[in-house]
Amino acid sequence: FVDINGMDCVEEEVDFNWEEYLEETGATAAPHTSFRHVELSLQSSFQPGMKLEVANKGSLDTYWVATIITTCGQLLLLRYCGYGDDRKADFWCDVMTAELHPVGWCAQNNKTLQPPEAIKEKNSDWIEFLIKELTGSRTAPANLLEGPLRGKNTVDLIVVGCILEVRDAFEPNVYWAARVQSNIGGRLCLSYVGLNDPAYDMWMFYLDTRLRPLGWAKENYLSIKPPTGESMKLSSEWTEALDEATAKALKSPLPLEVFKDHADLHTHSFRPGMKLEMVSPKEPFHICPVSVTKVYNEYYFQITVDDLTAEATPTCVVCHADSPGILPVQWCLKNGVGLERPQGFESQDFDWADYLKHTGTEAAPDVCFPNASQSRGFCKDMWLEAVNPLQPSELCVARITQVKGRLLWLRLEGLTKPLPDCIVDVESMNIFPVGWCEANGYPLTHLQKTVCLPQKKIAVVQPEKHTANSCQPLSSELDFMLIIAIACMCCLGLVNGKYCCSQLFINHRCFSGPYLNKGRIAELPKAVGPGKCAVVLKEILTMLINSAYKPGRVLRELQMVEDPQWNCQEETLKAKYKGKSYRSNMRIVRTADQVSEFCRRVCERLQCCLNLFGPTIVSDKCPENCFSQTKTKYTYYKKRKVGRPSLGENAQDGDMTKPARRRKKRKAIFVQKKRRTSIVGYQTTESPQNESFEEEDRLVLERNPLEWSVSDVVDFITSTDCASLAKIFQEQDIDGQALLLLTLPTVQECMDLKLGPAIKLCHQIERVKVAFYSQFAN
């Protein structure tokens, strides 16, 4: 008997991947739409309804006012003023490349404002029409249409060094300037101007109502005072630091668009002496009784945690009507949540009726607490990312342990010293969807993964001596060598060799086909095994599925690999794509003599090189000669085996090498100048700015894109405004056929691009598709 299964289980620091973790545990991520502040942070700086001046269609050197209908990243859908609700003339333009100007630009630069020809006769007095149209409207800001801030999202307008004004934590009518030290997806690290001590840095989301633009306090007749309790500076030093920072900031002011989504404060109905319940402001792990101790104005009031001890130091916080964590009296009782007794309260059993009578106070009425029950779609056991309340710079993996009304109880994972479940409001700006940290390049404190490591021990059961089943140590070097030999025989498949196979190789240089991502294949191990045939094959198939552009599609293809003569066992293979999990059962061969043929059949089905994986190791040159082939050329000759004619082929033709019929090239319209490239053979027609999107980007191809090689595709991408992405096409071996199959979701996922660059790239791909269909599809 040989025991080689001993395990040591330890906690190991490993790279954390949300997708893998949720898949392994079957857990659910909190929906992105539940995080309102994050959704707002992803919106464009341009808003529907904004007006701007844009080049006029059909008339050179003239302009007309247009309205923004909607936005998509850096793309704007515009409608010329005068069309009313008629959408037929709506057109898209890219804010990064189009000639767009704020209202008033034509007047300042002696340019002609003239309505489009199609509506010219609809109005007799266009000047009067414009006056009415523009009265009360909002123009697109000039700094978002030109210069370094052009086309940026709202969050990206806040750069390191920007100056804002921050409301004092204890005095709502007092502000002081603060400098942005870092901007993590809208979560700002701020330091007070004149105070260069990191211990006093603050973390706030840019939508926090405490933040205002520079100069806001003065305009609203509020006080400007440095933070209290700092005696290291004289009053003159604070003033000098503020004046210096203000002068520098005014040279490149923070655009007011940053504050466009700030919530308006609602008036409150609280009066001094009212009692309520609140999540503890110092230790947000419990809820306690609090009192309204001061009302500043119709917007702000002060709350103090109830403490009946004589030597108590008051814990106060400034609140407004929509402050998170404030609750009506009896909320905890109604929701089955424990309420912390006030310090110094004598009775062990806390009762609000007795307490109000004892203190001679009243409970704040329910009308003071709007929306006290909304949960915004959060549910128990959902996962998210949350700020550590005791260390605001740290974000942790968190699980919702319970949801009560508008409060969430979160268990923060991965902390060196565990904390009790912390309580946050559903509207808190300190919680984020899964993947937020990764998307913004910020470290995430995550769970320690338990890894079981096999022990390098071999134990043997000797014949019975003194006690039954006694286990004895090795008695001689010969015994030791014998056991090692037996263990090696097991690993090499010499024991039960029928069901064991030697190593299977993954040949990274071989052609990966249309389904598999070459970059991901390159990250796989060079070999798997030896071991049981079904186990080794399942491991390799799982790797291939996870290396696919669309794992679900590969699962379906693998289900087709079957032979009634094979000795198989059924295994469940899993894949995850766009948040959805896919499972399918596949019959995998069990015996070593069928492994080679099984691997070959899988490769045929996936339209990749027959040696991509299997018992054959490929070093310098593949027997299939696949190294020099591209996705189109290699698949072109292989597809007949799996019965799927490629795009542009005539499935009924016997001649597989016959190229697609070339149509006579159409004459381009609105041509001003043409660019050519001798390799790919295409012409780009560039129109005046006043042409529609389709017309200004019309492409005339001299060769069928189905015939483009990888280098042809790279040349085309290099000639566009997406030239920086050309390297990706080279690395992923994308030729003409593969290019025509790309879509926005595929581009985002497989090329790891953000929405803006992905849309920009897909626009160029769409131009090729349009040209293909118009010139060669027939």
Side-chain angles (χ1 to χ4, degrees):
F1 168 74
V2 179
D3 177 9
I4 56 172
N5 294 320
M7 294 288 183
D8 277 336
C9 292
V10 295
E11 283 195 342
E12 188 177 273
E13 183 69 27
V14 294
D15 291 336
F16 180 77
N17 182 288
W18 265 118
E19 185 175 5
E20 291 177 3
Y21 179 76
L22 295 175
E23 168 70 17
E24 290 171 3
T25 60
T28 303
H32 281 237
T33 52
S34 297
F35 304 87
R36 182 174 172 273
H37 59 297
V38 177
E39 292 287 294
L40 288 173
S41 72
L42 300 175
Q43 291 184 2
S44 168
S45 301
F46 295 96
Q47 296 296 298
M50 280 184 173
K51 308 287 186 183
L52 42 75
E53 293 177 355
V54 61
N56 205 341
K57 290 185 179 184
S59 180
L60 292 176
D61 297 325
T62 66
Y63 300 80
W64 191 242
V65 178
T67 304
I68 297 176
I69 303 302
T70 190
T71 65
C72 180
Q74 63 191 39
L75 299 179
L76 307 179
L77 182 64
L78 302 179
R79 181 182 303 164
Y80 285 120
C81 292
Y83 274 93
D85 295 329
D86 186 355
R87 298 183 298 175
K88 67 182 179 184
D90 291 2
F91 59 99
W92 287 95
C93 67
D94 188 336
V95 71
M96 299 302 293
T97 58
E99 188 185 357
L100 305 174
H101 305 285
V103 172
W105 179 85
C106 284
Q108 295 171 1
N109 293 274
N110 296 320
K111 299 292 183 179
T112 303
L113 269 180
Q114 178 179 303
E117 288 294 329
I119 59 171
K120 199 170 184 179
E121 304 302 324
K122 287 181 65 175
N123 202 311
S124 59
D125 191 341
W126 284 105
I127 295 179
E128 183 183 352
F129 170 83
L130 277 186
I131 292 174
K132 291 181 179 179
E133 184 78 9
L134 296 176
T135 300
S137 65
R138 189 178 177 198
T139 182
N143 56 356
L144 299 184
L145 297 172
E146 57 191 19
L149 301 181
R150 183 177 185 175
K152 285 192 174 183
N153 284 347
T154 305
V155 165
D156 298 326
L157 299 176
I158 309 172
V159 298
V160 172
C162 283
I163 304 294
L164 306 90
E165 289 183 351
V166 182
R167 175 173 59 76
D168 189 89
F170 306 104
E171 291 290 337
N173 296 320
V174 174
Y175 284 77
W176 188 253
R179 182 177 284 106
V180 176
Q181 299 295 341
S182 61
N183 175 6
I184 312 299
R187 191 164 187 260
L188 310 179
C189 179
L190 304 168
S191 62
Y192 282 118
V193 166
L195 184 59
N196 299 319
D197 186 349
Y200 293 93
D201 286 356
M202 305 164 286
W203 284 91
M204 297 183 199
F205 204 71
Y206 82 104
L207 294 172
D208 196 304
T209 55
R210 287 181 62 191
L211 298 178
R212 298 292 180 180
L214 186 64
W216 190 88
K218 185 176 181 180
E219 290 176 6
N220 290 272
Y221 306 102
L222 300 173
S223 301
I224 303 174
K225 295 180 182 178
T228 56
E230 307 304 331
S231 57
M232 70 288 291
K233 286 185 179 291
L234 299 173
S235 176
S236 58
E237 292 177 314
W238 285 110
T239 303
E240 182 181 348
L242 178 62
D243 291 343
E244 181 181 343
T246 302
K248 188 175 181 180
L250 290 177
K251 293 179 181 178
S252 54
L254 185 64
L256 292 179
E257 280 62 41
V258 168
F259 303 92
K260 65 183 174 58
D261 294 315
H262 271 221
D264 293 328
L265 293 180
H266 298 104
T267 56
H268 68 81
S269 305
F270 291 97
R271 297 193 303 274
M274 284 183 172
K275 297 284 187 183
L276 57 152
E277 298 175 359
M278 183 182 188
V279 176
S280 173
K282 267 193 173 180
E283 298 179 334
F285 313 116
H286 55 261
I287 301 173
C288 53
V290 296
S291 303
V292 178
T293 49
K294 185 186 292 186
V295 172
Y296 296 98
N297 50 39
E298 68 270 30
Y299 298 113
Y300 294 106
F301 55 95
Q302 183 188 73
I303 280 182
T304 303
V305 176
D306 283 8
D307 190 332
L308 306 182
T309 57
E311 68 281 1
T313 301
T315 299
C316 303
V317 61
V318 174
C319 294
H320 52 81
D322 298 312
S323 286
I326 58 173
L327 308 160
V329 162
Q330 304 285 14
W331 186 93
C332 283
L333 181 65
K334 293 175 182 177
N335 287 275
V337 177
L339 181 67
E340 192 86 358
R341 289 187 305 111
Q343 293 289 324
F345 186 70
E346 296 178 356
S347 174
Q348 292 297 317
D349 297 322
F350 181 83
D351 179 78
W352 265 113
D354 293 341
Y355 185 62
L356 292 174
K357 185 177 181 180
H358 174 74
T359 55
T361 54
E362 63 173 329
D366 289 345
V367 70
C368 294
F369 307 91
N371 303 319
S373 60
Q374 62 174 346
S375 64
R376 289 197 61 83
F378 291 105
C379 297
K380 182 182 177 182
D381 290 328
M382 283 182 172
W383 292 78
L384 46 86
E385 298 174 4
V387 173
N388 180 349
L390 303 185
Q391 185 65 41
S393 62
E394 181 180 33
L395 273 88
C396 307
V397 166
R399 177 172 64 89
I400 301 174
T401 57
Q402 61 176 323
V403 180
K404 300 288 185 180
R406 59 180 298 131
L407 295 187
L408 311 175
W409 274 253
L410 303 180
R411 182 157 302 161
L412 305 185
E413 304 286 358
L415 298 177
T416 306
K417 185 178 180 181
L419 294 175
D421 290 358
C422 60
I423 308 171
V424 299
D425 192 278
V426 294
E427 296 286 354
S428 170
M429 297 187 200
N430 285 328
I431 56 176
F432 302 90
V434 300
W436 186 87
C437 281
E438 182 183 5
N440 290 283
Y442 196 76
L444 175 68
T445 300
H446 54 76
L447 305 89
Q448 300 292 316
K449 188 171 184 179
T450 301
V451 179
C452 292
L453 305 173
Q455 295 179 338
K456 296 182 180 179
K457 298 178 184 178
I458 300 178
V460 61
V461 177
Q462 297 284 4
E464 180 178 324
K465 288 186 179 179
H466 300 292
T467 59
N469 301 321
S470 62
C471 185
Q472 297 294 329
L474 301 176
S475 58
S476 69
E477 186 176 341
L478 184 62
D479 290 336
F480 178 77
M481 293 174 67
L482 177 62
I483 292 166
I484 292 296
I486 295 173
C488 291
M489 288 170 68
C490 287
C491 290
L492 294 174
L494 300 178
V495 177
N496 293 327
K498 179 180 179 181
Y499 299 105
C500 295
C501 65
S502 57
Q503 277 190 323
L504 296 183
F505 301 96
I506 300 176
N507 298 305
H508 296 162
R509 294 188 62 194
C510 283
F511 175 69
S512 58
Y515 298 122
L516 304 179
N517 184 314
K518 187 175 182 180
R520 294 177 188 170
I521 291 288
E523 296 173 358
L524 300 181
K526 293 183 178 179
V528 177
K532 289 181 64 176
C533 297
V535 173
V536 173
L537 287 170
K538 181 179 179 181
E539 180 67 19
I540 283 193
L541 292 175
T542 301
M543 290 178 179
L544 294 178
I545 291 167
N546 290 323
S547 301
Y549 292 107
K550 293 185 177 181
R553 175 62 184 274
V554 170
L555 270 178
R556 290 195 296 272
E557 294 293 334
L558 292 179
Q559 283 182 306
M560 307 299 291
V561 179
E562 193 168 356
D563 190 313
Q565 297 181 354
W566 285 345
N567 182 354
C568 295
Q569 72 181 53
E570 196 167 90
E571 295 286 349
T572 300
L573 300 179
K574 297 184 293 184
K576 190 161 187 178
Y577 182 62
K578 292 186 179 178
K580 294 182 179 179
S581 295
Y582 301 87
R583 296 171 184 265
S584 78
N585 294 329
M586 180 182 180
R587 295 179 61 77
I588 298 177
V589 297
R590 301 174 62 209
T591 58
D593 60 326
Q594 296 174 342
V595 167
S596 179
E597 180 62 19
F598 178 84
C599 294
R600 188 177 184 86
R601 294 278 192 91
V602 170
C603 290
E604 283 183 354
R605 194 72 211 176
L606 298 182
Q607 303 173 34
C608 59
C609 174
L610 300 181
N611 293 319
L612 180 65
F613 83 98
T616 303
I617 184 170
V618 175
S619 52
D620 295 329
K621 189 173 182 181
C622 174
E624 290 284 315
N625 193 29
C626 69
F627 292 174
S628 61
Q629 303 300 318
T630 64
K631 289 189 187 294
T632 298
K633 292 179 181 177
Y634 187 85
T635 310
Y636 195 67
Y637 295 101
K638 297 290 180 183
K639 277 191 176 177
R640 177 172 281 183
K641 296 181 180 179
V642 291
R644 293 177 64 243
S646 63
L647 184 62
E649 292 181 44
N650 186 336
Q652 297 178 354
D653 280 348
D655 183 7
M656 293 291 288
T657 61
K658 183 179 179 180
R661 186 177 64 182
R662 177 177 298 182
R663 261 186 105 183
K664 186 176 180 181
K665 198 167 45 178
R666 293 186 178 182
K667 189 174 181 180
I669 310 172
F670 304 113
V671 177
Q672 278 195 327
K673 57 182 179 180
K674 297 180 179 179
R675 295 181 295 179
R676 292 178 182 265
T677 167
S678 58
I679 300 177
V680 178
Y682 57 83
Q683 302 172 0
T684 309
T685 69
E686 296 181 355
S687 70
Q689 183 64 48
N690 55 4
E691 294 304 334
S692 69
F693 223 64
E694 292 81 2
E695 291 171 342
E696 72 176 13
D697 287 324
R698 181 164 296 169
L699 195 66
V700 178
L701 302 177
E702 295 181 357
R703 279 179 55 206
N704 190 332
L706 287 176
E707 301 170 4
W708 287 5
S709 66
V710 175
S711 59
D712 292 339
V713 172
V714 170
D715 286 339
F716 170 72
I717 296 298
T718 304
S719 72
T720 70
D721 56 0
C722 298
S724 60
L725 305 178
K727 185 179 178 182
I728 300 177
F729 286 79
Q730 185 75 55
E731 291 173 348
Q732 298 201 13
D733 218 10
I734 296 174
D735 61 3
Q737 178 179 325
L739 180 75
L740 294 177
L741 295 175
L742 291 178
T743 62
L744 180 59
T746 310
V747 164
Q748 280 188 277
E749 180 174 354
C750 299
M751 297 187 177
D752 197 23
L753 298 179
K754 291 185 176 180
L755 181 61
I759 290 176
K760 199 173 181 181
L761 175 59
C762 284
H763 169 60
Q764 298 297 342
I765 296 171
E766 199 64 28
R767 295 172 63 207
V768 178
K769 290 181 182 180
V770 170
F772 167 75
Y773 286 119
S774 63
Q775 295 178 242
F776 304 103
N778 292 334

